Amino acid sequence: MILVGLLLFFFGVVYFFGQMLLPFFAGLVIAYLLDGMVKMMTKYGIPRLLAVILVFFGFMLIMFFSFFWLVPMLIKQVTQLVQQLPSMISEAQMHLLQLPERYPHLVSQEQIQEVISALRTEVAQLGQQILSISVASVVGLITILVYLIIVPLLVFFFLKDKEMLLAWFTRFLPRERSLAVQVWEDVNRQISNYIRGKTWEIIIVWITTFVVFSFFGLQYSVLLSLAVGLSVLIPYIGAAVVTVPIALVAYFQWGFGSEFVWILVAYAIIQAIDGNVLAPLLLGEVVNIHPVGIVAAIFVFGGLWGFWGVFFAIPLATLVQAVIRAWPRAEDVQKQQAIDPPQDPGQV
């Protein structure tokens, strides 16, 4: 009952106060990622406080690099892509209108007109969304600036006062919590391994894809390679979804030429290496979950908590699996009673 109460409490807090606690969760995730480096440095005799300062300084350098080099480049490529969209859409409409002439038995003119009207509606809605984003850009900029200050502070104190915060938190928990502690130790190990392994997987896939796309001269290589790196957050589905923009950009740049084929072949090789070599190597200690369970977890937790639900879909599925594995069963109780039979009150 204590375990069920704790789970319901934490799920309720995340579900109802998730948006307000977003900087807290972001700082917690980053602290999980950096804590492994701090532990590695302390093993070599470096004091924890000095290790925390060094790791935090490296984290701030990465943040500085991302904010002043990477983000402007991404904004530039997104702007160029939006400016090129009208010509892409016009060329796509021209190709669609030629389909009834080439394949009259498969596609009719009315079907093509319906597809074109649907495309125009989607583009109009996309333009309205971009306009609404630009109108609310001042508020969004202020929010980003606040996050850029709060999140690094949270990361530093999570790393520096980790033991003190854990001791303070456990004071509010019930004393009889052996089952909850058993589940937490299992899940804590899995979440730590997952966050660190998945972060390294994103970075490696992103850099590798960027180098390959730049070698072939593909447009928007920074933006597309970032999309490929982030796609590993959604197993099976992410790789299939990101294939569409890569193929479209390659087609509008080269047509159905040899460069188009080589780009898709290189992308397929990257996905194959990631799925069969990189992911098992980095996430080998994470509990193996059936693909059906992974997809179900992505839909359920992503529907509840959006991006963070997708990011933590596998650890949350691991939590469910750990609870089911640790939950007392009838046969376990019978075995325990056989080992430790209850005393007869008449013999006491």
Side-chain angles (χ1 to χ4, degrees):
M1 292 303 297
I2 291 172
L3 176 61
V4 171
L6 290 174
L7 290 175
L8 291 177
F9 173 76
F10 287 117
F11 272 90
V13 168
V14 174
Y15 183 76
F16 290 106
F17 304 103
Q19 292 296 327
M20 290 183 285
L21 296 175
L22 189 59
F24 177 85
F25 293 135
L28 195 61
V29 170
I30 297 172
Y32 253 115
L33 175 64
L34 300 180
D35 189 57
M37 301 179 186
V38 173
K39 289 180 179 178
M40 186 183 301
M41 296 176 71
T42 55
K43 287 182 180 179
Y44 291 97
I46 300 175
R48 180 172 178 84
L49 181 59
L50 178 60
V52 168
I53 293 173
L54 293 175
V55 170
F56 182 76
F57 181 73
F59 165 69
M60 292 304 297
L61 284 179
I62 295 174
M63 289 281 293
F64 182 84
F65 166 78
S66 301
F67 189 76
F68 289 100
W69 181 81
L70 182 61
V71 174
M73 185 175 295
L74 289 173
I75 294 174
K76 179 182 177 182
Q77 293 203 353
V78 169
T79 305
Q80 292 175 350
L81 181 59
V82 171
Q83 292 175 349
Q84 197 176 352
L85 272 179
S87 61
M88 289 182 175
I89 293 171
S90 300
E91 188 173 348
Q93 289 180 358
M94 186 173 62
H95 286 292
L96 287 174
L97 291 173
Q98 294 175 356
L99 289 178
E101 300 177 1
R102 298 180 179 178
Y103 310 101
H105 299 291
L106 298 177
V107 184
S108 64
Q109 192 73 28
E110 291 77 11
Q111 292 174 334
I112 295 300
Q113 291 297 334
E114 291 178 0
V115 172
I116 292 175
S117 62
L119 286 175
R120 288 175 179 172
T121 303
E122 293 294 332
V123 171
Q125 292 177 355
L126 178 62
Q128 292 177 356
Q129 292 176 358
I130 293 174
L131 181 61
S132 63
I133 292 172
S134 63
V135 170
S137 59
V138 177
V139 179
L141 181 61
I142 295 174
T143 304
I144 291 173
L145 290 176
V146 171
Y147 282 6
L148 288 175
I149 297 172
I150 293 177
V151 172
L153 285 175
L154 289 173
V155 171
F156 177 76
F157 286 113
F158 282 151
L159 291 173
K160 175 179 172 293
D161 302 326
K162 173 186 174 183
E163 299 298 331
M164 184 180 69
L165 291 173
L166 289 175
W168 173 84
F169 178 74
T170 53
R171 286 167 47 196
F172 299 95
L173 298 178
R175 292 182 179 179
E176 298 296 333
R177 55 176 188 269
S178 57
L179 188 63
V181 170
Q182 178 184 347
V183 172
W184 165 248
E185 290 176 351
D186 188 11
V187 173
N188 181 46
R189 185 179 66 257
Q190 300 299 336
I191 291 179
S192 302
N193 294 332
Y194 176 77
I195 292 177
R196 293 166 192 154
K198 187 61 71 173
T199 301
W200 282 114
E201 183 185 5
I202 291 172
I203 294 172
I204 294 172
V205 172
W206 179 12
I207 294 175
T208 304
T209 309
F210 172 71
V211 171
V212 172
F213 286 177
S214 300
F215 174 78
F216 285 102
L218 184 67
Q219 294 177 344
Y220 318 113
S221 57
V222 175
L223 182 62
L224 293 175
S225 61
L226 176 60
V228 174
L230 295 177
S231 69
V232 303
L233 291 173
I234 312 177
Y236 314 113
I237 302 174
V241 171
V242 176
T243 305
V244 177
I246 293 174
L248 289 176
V249 171
Y251 170 75
F252 284 110
Q253 183 175 351
W254 296 306
F256 288 114
S258 59
E259 294 90 349
F260 176 83
V261 176
W262 281 114
I263 280 289
L264 293 185
V265 170
Y267 174 69
I269 292 174
I270 292 173
Q271 290 294 340
I273 294 175
D274 173 51
N276 296 287
V277 178
L278 188 60
L281 182 65
L282 295 174
L283 303 172
E285 297 184 12
V286 176
V287 173
N288 188 21
I289 303 174
H290 194 274
V292 175
I294 293 176
V295 174
I298 290 170
F299 280 108
V300 172
F301 297 115
L304 288 174
W305 298 306
F307 169 78
W308 292 109
V310 173
F311 184 83
F312 287 108
I314 295 179
L316 288 171
T318 302
L319 170 61
V320 175
Q321 191 178 51
V323 171
I324 295 173
R325 186 169 55 245
W327 198 265
R329 296 175 176 83
E331 56 267 23
D332 297 333
V333 176
Q334 293 173 359
K335 289 179 181 178
Q336 185 64 30
Q337 289 178 350
I339 297 173
D340 247 340
Q343 292 183 356
D344 186 357
Q347 295 177 356
V348 178

